Amino acid sequence: MQNLQIAHATTISALRTRIRTWREDGLRIGFVPTMGALHDGHISLVRLAKAHCDRVVASIFVNPKQFAAGEDLDTYPRTMIEDAEKLTAAKCDLIYLPTNEIMYPQGYSASVSLQGPALGLESEARPHFFHGVATVVAKLFNQVGPDMAFFGEKDYQQLLVIKQMVKDLDFPIDIMGGGTMREKDGLAMSSRNAYLSAEQRATASRLNAILKDFATALEAGRPVAEARAEALSTAQAVFDGVDYVEARCAATLSALPDGKLETPARVLAAVRLGQTRLIDNMAAKTPS
Ligand code: PAF
């Protein structure tokens, strides 16, 4: 472990000792789970947590269970020193840095799996993904024991999956979503943007423009299927591959009936540029 200036815990017992003293002082604890390679999107969640809680814990753990064989587990950016500096500047109170052995010791066998909002979209291309996310987040919640936890709307389906898990499994934790942070040209911030070449980076921002046009068309009363077909065909022309371009019910991610939008929706897309997979989403209001 590098020599970090910020308070950090690398074991469950050290983490709990620190949190117990805060609890004894009656403090409210906020939690921001991350996989590191922090950008302004993560830091905005730490700030949101600071605004709602007395103490904020951020975890950094690249969770092997949410990567399938052949995905980017080994190359996922690991930038611990820079991450610690950013968390210090954001006045995060404690970083939790568990190891693989702590999270998944020999003989580990439990898994959390959900249906509902976990079905479809990301699960089509990455069927393992939400089992891995729900499992690690459930473990982190039990280890940290926060009052509130904060997740980015950039991963909108993940946010709904965590809300559903907390409800179904009775975790006494309030989940709050933080708005997507974007680069000047609209590209949603993501640790994986670091994989993009200069040429791919220029193309990547088109995803945001396609979703904006899609949402605008729905808000203007265009039938869902027609607006979706147009967004899909533009995305297919721009990107190397398209996993999905969809409009779904914002509350449940269930399919929408065709015709004019009658419930608040979310437009969501996942596309590929070379080896890099980009996801993004945004709200679409019902036509006035
Ligand atoms: O969104 C992420 O960075 C991860 O999926 C999470 C929630 C930290 C779980 O590993």
Side-chain angles (χ1 to χ4, degrees), residues 80-142:
M80 182 63 76
I81 297 292
E82 292 89 334
D83 291 351
E85 283 168 6
K86 288 176 187 171
L87 290 170
T88 306
K91 300 196 165 34
C92 176
D93 298 285
L94 179 68
I95 317 185
Y96 177 43
L97 302 165
T99 58
N100 280 340
E101 292 67 36
I102 285 179
M103 296 306 279
Y104 306 118
Q106 182 125 43
Y108 182 88
S109 67
S111 167
V112 178
S113 88
L114 287 91
Q115 308 233 330
L119 296 176
L121 303 172
E122 286 300 290
S123 295
E124 293 287 327
R126 308 184 74 201
H128 58 285
F129 180 65
F130 288 121
H131 303 296
V133 168
T135 301
V136 79
V137 171
K139 282 179 67 73
L140 290 166
F141 281 178
N142 282 329

Side-chain angles (χ1 to χ4, degrees), residues 33-35 63 66 133 136 151 158:
T34 82
M35 298 207 299
N63 173 35
Q66 66 191 75
V133 168
V136 79
F151 294 81
Q158 171 175 277

Side-chain angles (χ1 to χ4, degrees), residues 29-284:
I29 292 153
F31 178 45
V32 181
T34 82
M35 298 207 299
L38 303 183
H39 49 68
D40 285 355
H42 298 108
I43 299 306
S44 71
L45 293 178
V46 172
R47 297 218 169 90
L48 190 63
K50 293 287 294 180
H52 286 85
C53 300
D54 304 305
R55 294 289 181 273
V56 175
V57 181
S59 63
I60 299 180
F61 177 64
V62 183
N63 173 35
K65 287 203 183 292
Q66 66 191 75
F67 293 79
E71 290 189 346
D72 56 343
L73 174 62
D74 293 338
T75 52
Y76 196 83
R78 287 161 171 88
T79 56
M80 182 63 76
I81 297 292
E82 292 89 334
D83 291 351
E85 283 168 6
K86 288 176 187 171
L87 290 170
T88 306
K91 300 196 165 34
C92 176
D93 298 285
L94 179 68
I95 317 185
Y96 177 43
L97 302 165
T99 58
N100 280 340
E101 292 67 36
I102 285 179
M103 296 306 279
Y104 306 118
Q106 182 125 43
Y108 182 88
S109 67
S111 167
V112 178
S113 88
L114 287 91
Q115 308 233 330
L119 296 176
L121 303 172
E122 286 300 290
S123 295
E124 293 287 327
R126 308 184 74 201
H128 58 285
F129 180 65
F130 288 121
H131 303 296
V133 168
T135 301
V136 79
V137 171
K139 282 179 67 73
L140 290 166
F141 281 178
N142 282 329
Q143 293 168 358
V144 176
D147 298 289
M148 291 186 78
F150 300 82
F151 294 81
E153 285 182 358
K154 150 89 176 11
D155 297 291
Y156 190 79
Q157 191 176 9
Q158 171 175 277
L159 173 63
L160 293 202
V161 165
I162 300 299
K163 282 184 174 170
Q164 188 72 46
M165 179 185 81
V166 160
K167 186 167 170 242
D168 290 353
L169 299 184
D170 308 308
F171 282 99
I173 302 172
D174 289 333
I175 304 299
M176 185 175 277
T180 302
M181 299 294 284
R182 298 183 180 279
E183 305 291 352
K184 283 203 182 78
D185 62 1
L187 177 66
M189 289 187 185
S190 162
S191 308
R192 289 189 168 100
N193 291 349
Y195 299 150
L196 298 169
S197 69
E199 194 188 332
Q200 290 169 336
R201 172 64 190 80
T203 306
S205 62
R206 298 280 306 275
L207 183 58
N208 176 243
I210 290 167
L211 286 179
K212 254 192 202 160
D213 289 348
F214 188 6
T216 305
L218 294 176
E219 289 175 354
R222 289 268 304 274
V224 173
E226 198 182 292
R228 175 184 173 264
E230 192 171 301
L232 178 63
S233 106
T234 313
Q236 283 165 337
V238 170
F239 295 102
D240 298 329
V242 177
D243 285 348
Y244 59 84
V245 174
E246 293 288 351
R248 294 288 176 92
C249 166
T252 62
L253 290 183
S254 54
L256 294 166
D258 193 20
K260 203 164 125 178
L261 209 58
E262 280 174 2
T263 48
R266 205 84 193 175
V267 292
L268 311 100
V271 300
R272 293 177 193 269
L273 262 181
Q275 300 300 308
T276 307
R277 190 165 182 276
L278 303 173
I279 63 170
D280 198 357
N281 70 85
M282 66 184 63

